[in-house]
Amino acid sequence: MVGFYLATFLITLMINRKDQDADSYMVSGHNIGYGISAASMTATWIWAASFYAAATSGFTYGLSGPLHYGLWGALMILFIYPFGVRIRKLAPQAHTLGEVINARHGSSSQLILAVSNLLGSLISLMVNFTAAGALVSVLSPLSFQHGVLMAGFGVLAYTFWSGFRASVLTDVTQVVAMIAIAVVIIPMVLFAMGGPEVLIDNMSALTTEQADLFSTTAILEQGAPFFVAVLAYAIGNQTISQRLFAVRQDLIKPTFITATISYGAIVIGLGMIGLMAAINGLEPLNGDTNNIIPQVVSSYLSPVMIGLFFILVIGSLSSTADSDLAALSAIVMTDIYGTNIAKGRADPRRMLFLGRLTMVVATTLGIVMASFSLNILVMLVFVGALWGTVVFPVIASMYWRRVSNTAFTTAVLTGFACFCLVRFELLPMTGAIAVLFELLASLGGGVVIGLMTSGFLGKQAGLIAGLLAALTLAVFCVDFLRDYTVLLSSLVAYGVSTLVCTGISLAKPANFDFKLIQQRTGNFNHQSAMLSPSEGVGSEQ
């Protein structure tokens, strides 16, 4: 592990430090090429949870488990690219999605997005450090805390100086290693367990639900909540939008398509390890499904292959952790300091100092939080649902001039409040209350389908598909969905925020000129031409 981080640190020395400035530190000059951007997108999307949660899904839900985790995650990368193209067209020189929202609505909407991103990236950082601790404690004599500390300081060491540029450069080598090792390790585990024939003979070890490729339980408990969560993750997470603003504008489409294929192939394969463990009757150590992959690897592979697997997991969690650090620093530099404290007159050198200070503070918090050893899959769904409240207001704000700052903030806060009521069961899910939330969840399901359809087929097709989906879901959800709290709460977040945002936008419409977004965003090293969010004719009225 020390060797891995030392090698990664040496790679970052290739970056020319004379060219360091605030914009390069956050988005590398908005000019990253296809290969690096696709590799970086893939490496960022495959985080530690992709290993542990994919295996957990395969182990718990059987045949359909790997698909419900890997396939939906891959498709979400593909589905969001039309919206990414639109956002980049409106703000070609932006650094964060919050900066774009600030140019569209003002500080309050931007800070909502910034706070949700700070929380989400910190949780992601904690999850990746937790995964490192679990791996080290299972595969070595060292303790969980040793693994957490080594991962924290290792990632900080190579990311601290060059920020986002170090993150994308090391992502290339990390994703190449991940693909190469996964191609070798997964078949080796299969044949070490006896090969396809033995697994087929042992299929009787699976329950009826696990043996069903179209298991209703797997869809309702894993597939549907994850499907909803990753859409929110793709829109709300700064690590994704940071790469959107960094890649060359004409390469956005091939970058997202390549990342979709790479992510799906790797993660579905990892989920198969959990399925093979279930067929072979493996019992997770201490009842913790996060131990499935380390147990399988240590039981069926040679020491050399265990070492390669170790590099595979450390590479994946490090690529996401360094992306989280780069995202957190960009949020503090742009959303907090650049647009709200300096108000468009930021000192680039002070921005760099704040970005690096943010990385140190975030790493410390991530290490401390990792000591709680929380369940990875539950946290993943929670963060995704949290971002679910911002999906419709953000996308609507990029296309519909009537959406106002009041509509945006009220929709997000109301949606989040309703999500908490359902997710933490603060109200009894019985009678009229349950029916009300099930109808709101049906609307939320229609919103998800409608947004995905509109991205490729246009607004009219999206509206029709969304309405049909909402009506269909309403028939099946009432008196049924209340038993699936995670899915119910996630869809309620979408439904309520959409309902409130649309209602206020129709009742008190704004009349925004989208050309102002480009005028209000730009490079901080050349910011004399930038307008503040309150400047410009045609702003919200």
Side-chain angles (χ1 to χ4, degrees), residues 43 56 106 152 174 217 232 239-240 270 313 330 358 369 387 395 397 419 429 445 451 468 471 518 526 537 541:
T56 297
Q174 288 162 351
T217 302
T239 62
I240 304 301
L270 292 170
V313 180
T358 300
M369 292 166 65
W387 277 325
I395 293 177
S397 297
F419 162 74
M429 280 302 130
L451 287 176
L468 290 175
L471 292 172
Q518 183 170 350
H526 307 282
V537 177
Q541 298 172 7

Side-chain angles (χ1 to χ4, degrees), residues 394-418:
V394 165
I395 293 177
S397 297
M398 298 298 112
Y399 292 88
W400 196 18
R401 64 177 67 244
R402 288 188 171 207
V403 180
S404 66
N405 185 46
T406 301
F408 186 102
T409 53
T410 307
V412 173
L413 295 176
T414 308
F416 184 65
C418 290

Side-chain angles (χ1 to χ4, degrees), residues 220-236:
L220 292 173
E221 293 184 355
Q222 171 63 50
F226 188 61
F227 182 73
V228 173
V230 290
L231 174 61
Y233 210 80
I235 294 295

Side-chain angles (χ1 to χ4, degrees), residues 63 72 78 167 169 174 252 275 299 304 478:
L63 293 177
W72 300 134
L78 186 64
S167 174
L169 182 62
Q174 288 162 351
I252 293 175
L275 172 62
S299 300
V304 173
V478 173

Side-chain angles (χ1 to χ4, degrees), residues 311-490:
I311 295 174
L312 175 67
V313 180
I314 295 300
S316 73
L317 68 89
S318 298
S319 65
T320 308
D322 63 43
S323 300
D324 287 323
L325 288 181
L328 287 164
S329 63
I331 291 168
V332 172
M333 292 167 72
T334 300
D335 295 341
I336 296 178
Y337 171 71
T339 55
N340 283 291
I341 295 177
K343 296 188 182 300
R345 292 175 176 79
D347 178 351
R349 288 178 299 178
R350 184 171 295 176
M351 292 186 82
L352 270 176
F353 171 77
L354 288 173
R356 289 170 178 147
L357 178 64
T358 300
M359 287 197 177
V360 174
V361 174
T363 302
T364 305
L365 289 173
I367 290 173
V368 172
M369 292 166 65
S371 62
F372 291 103
S373 299
L374 301 175
N375 184 288
I376 289 174
L377 197 55
V378 170
M379 286 187 294
L380 179 66
V381 173
F382 176 79
V383 172
L386 179 64
W387 277 325
T389 59
V390 308
V391 171
F392 182 83
V394 165
I395 293 177
S397 297
M398 298 298 112
Y399 292 88
W400 196 18
R401 64 177 67 244
R402 288 188 171 207
V403 180
S404 66
N405 185 46
T406 301
F408 186 102
T409 53
T410 307
V412 173
L413 295 176
T414 308
F416 184 65
C418 290
F419 162 74
C420 291
L421 287 175
V422 179
R423 184 67 183 87
F424 302 111
E425 301 180 14
L426 300 179
L427 290 175
M429 280 302 130
T430 56
I433 294 176
V435 172
L436 173 63
F437 281 109
E438 286 167 336
L439 290 175
L440 290 171
S442 301
L443 175 62
V447 171
V448 173
I449 300 299
L451 287 176
M452 291 191 302
T453 305
S454 67
F456 287 97
L457 301 178
K459 287 182 284 188
Q460 190 172 5
L463 184 61
I464 294 172
L467 286 173
L468 290 175
L471 292 172
T472 304
L473 287 171
V475 173
F476 294 100
C477 286
V478 173
D479 200 28
F480 172 75
L481 201 58
R482 65 191 67 177
D483 296 328
Y484 298 89
T485 306
V486 173
L487 179 57
L488 177 66
S489 58
S490 300

